[in-house]
Each structure stands twice: as structure tokens, then as C-alpha cells.
Amino acid sequence: MDEYKRLKRELMYHGVLVDFYQDTMRMPGGHEVKWDLISHKGAAAVVAVKDDGTLFMVRQYRNPLGRMTLEIPAGGLNSREEPPIACAKRELEEETGYRAGKIEPLIDIFTTVAFCDEKISIYVATDLIPSKQNLDEDEFINVESYKIEDLIQMIYDGKIQDSKTVSGLMTYYHKYCCK
């Protein structure tokens, strides 16, 4: 036997943002093991580029870290069926108060493949149009603007550690700024 086979998936906890499962797996060689899985609907994020070339970033409190973080705008899909681009457009406007005149795919990432199926689709938004910020009742966000070079330095300095933000900014920098 040279393949992995899921024998059973058991829902251990159904949460607001994630579900926690325990899988019983048959391993190559035939023995059985238990693996944990955190299942997430998915998310979308946006590298929002202003006309002057600076990028919108959001600063917000993140409970798992117990501190404020600087991130690209992002949010969860309303359902697994929601197109990620619709989520990206919605989250950009909700968090920054701007709509995208143009939006295009940048990169898709899986945040933590060892135990989580969360996929985040990251987009680049340009030709931004002022609108109205519309935060959720549990969101308190400060919108800030930065040059891409300064954000890259913050990554290197360990000041930005959020995986979607690092992936989005580094991919944007190498795709659009290093030509």
C-alpha cells in the first residue's frame, strides 16, 4: 500500500470562523493515525495601490497575538460558494472606504497546510474610488498609507509577520516593482 487514505472524518467542534475535525488516516504501509484539521471557508485580501503608488494598509488588534498588526485589507468569504473577487471588493470598501476601479488576481495562498485548509486569494486593486468605510461592529481599524519599499523593510525587520500580508506584498513588489 503506497497511498494515504482518509477512513473517517469526525467534526469535533463547529465554530463561528472555523470547524475542527479529527481525521482517521491509513498511511502508506497500512497503519492508522489521527490527524487534526481546521476547516475554513476561505478568504480574500487586497494590495490596494493608490494613484501616488503608496499602498493602503490596515492596523487592527489581533486577539491570537494579543497586539496590533499592520496588514493588507482582507476578510473571510461569506460562504464557500462566494467568488473570492467579490469578497476582495467588499472587504476593500468596508475596511478602507475605497472601491477598486480595477482589480486583478495576484496570488492564491494556503495559510497553514499542516493542519488548515484556509485558502486566501490575493488581488491588486488600482484606480481607487473614494466610498465609505463600513466596519463590522467588532472591527476597529486604522487605515494608513506606505511606500512599498518601507513595507518590504518592515517585513525584513520582523514588524510585519502576517502570512497573507507578507505573501501579498512580496509578490506585488516582485511582479510590479522589480521590472
Side-chain angles (χ1 to χ4, degrees), residues 76-94:
L77 301 179
N78 287 332
S79 71
R80 290 185 186 274
E81 292 73 38
E82 180 182 24
I85 194 165
C87 176
K89 290 176 181 179
R90 180 185 69 245
E91 291 297 328
L92 174 64
E93 187 169 13
E94 284 180 8

Side-chain angles (χ1 to χ4, degrees), residues 64-127:
L65 302 180
R67 64 178 169 86
M68 301 293 281
T69 61
L70 187 63
E71 305 171 34
I72 58 177
L77 301 179
N78 287 332
S79 71
R80 290 185 186 274
E81 292 73 38
E82 180 182 24
I85 194 165
C87 176
K89 290 176 181 179
R90 180 185 69 245
E91 291 297 328
L92 174 64
E93 187 169 13
E94 284 180 8
E95 293 189 358
T96 68
Y98 282 80
R99 288 183 289 118
K102 180 180 177 188
I103 191 164
E104 60 187 49
L106 181 61
I107 189 172
D108 289 337
I109 63 169
F110 286 91
T111 58
T112 331
V113 297
F115 59 85
C116 184
D117 65 359
E118 179 186 33
K119 178 182 177 181
I120 301 179
S121 297
I122 305 173
Y123 296 85
V124 174
T126 55
D127 301 330

